[in-house]
Amino acid sequence: MIARRVLVAAALLAAGCGRPAVPPADPLPEALGEWRRTALANKPSADAPDPIPRGSAKSVRTASYGGPGKVEVTLYELTSSAAALDAVQRWRPAASTVFFYREEFFVVVEYRDADRKAVNAFLRDLDRHLTPSR
């Protein structure tokens, strides 16, 4: 009876010790579907605009992608998913711009000369890429 309890407790403990979520190594990959990265830059986190909560930006990266149009991505790595949610709630919508958050990332995507269907595929692929693997 005691051995069974020990085994059950050990099984529960092992199940609770899963690996933590791991963010992608490169949040802005060289390729996403039919889109290819053409430029990549790091910006000072102090340059984050007002809708980003003060002191919450760990890094700011921009990337340009070419494919069936042009896409500019600004990725803010924030201190927490709560800060990213706050940024989504404060960000002002603009034409040809989509923004979302995934975990601690807040992402702004601006597109030009692009088919909406192709942009949707890009957004879907980027969102999947940013979703932590478990």
Side-chain angles (χ1 to χ4, degrees):
M1 186 71 145
I2 292 177
R4 179 183 282 171
R5 286 184 187 166
V6 170
L7 287 175
V8 170
L12 289 174
L13 182 63
C17 292
R19 294 184 316 172
V22 178
D26 186 1
L28 296 171
E30 289 189 31
L32 283 167
E34 57 188 319
W35 299 83
R36 300 292 172 256
R37 189 175 69 199
T38 58
L40 179 66
N42 292 318
K43 292 186 172 185
S45 58
D47 289 351
D50 282 337
I52 304 296
R54 287 284 162 228
S56 65
K58 291 174 21 180
S59 68
V60 179
R61 299 178 78 194
T62 60
S64 300
Y65 287 87
K70 293 183 178 14
V71 173
E72 302 289 327
V73 179
T74 304
L75 182 131
Y76 301 91
E77 183 179 4
L78 304 179
T79 55
S80 68
S81 62
L85 174 61
D86 188 45
V88 165
Q89 293 172 339
R90 293 174 181 228
W91 200 262
R92 295 189 184 264
S96 302
T97 302
V98 178
F99 54 91
F100 65 95
Y101 84 102
R102 181 64 56 219
E103 300 295 329
E104 71 276 6
F105 296 115
F106 173 64
V107 184
V108 179
V109 178
E110 299 176 54
Y111 56 92
R112 297 184 310 275
D113 305 323
D115 174 66
R116 184 67 184 176
K117 191 175 182 181
V119 171
N120 285 341
F122 176 84
L123 292 168
R124 182 190 64 239
D125 292 344
L126 180 58
D127 181 52
R128 286 180 182 159
H129 179 74
L130 293 175
T131 301
S133 59
R134 294 196 181 267

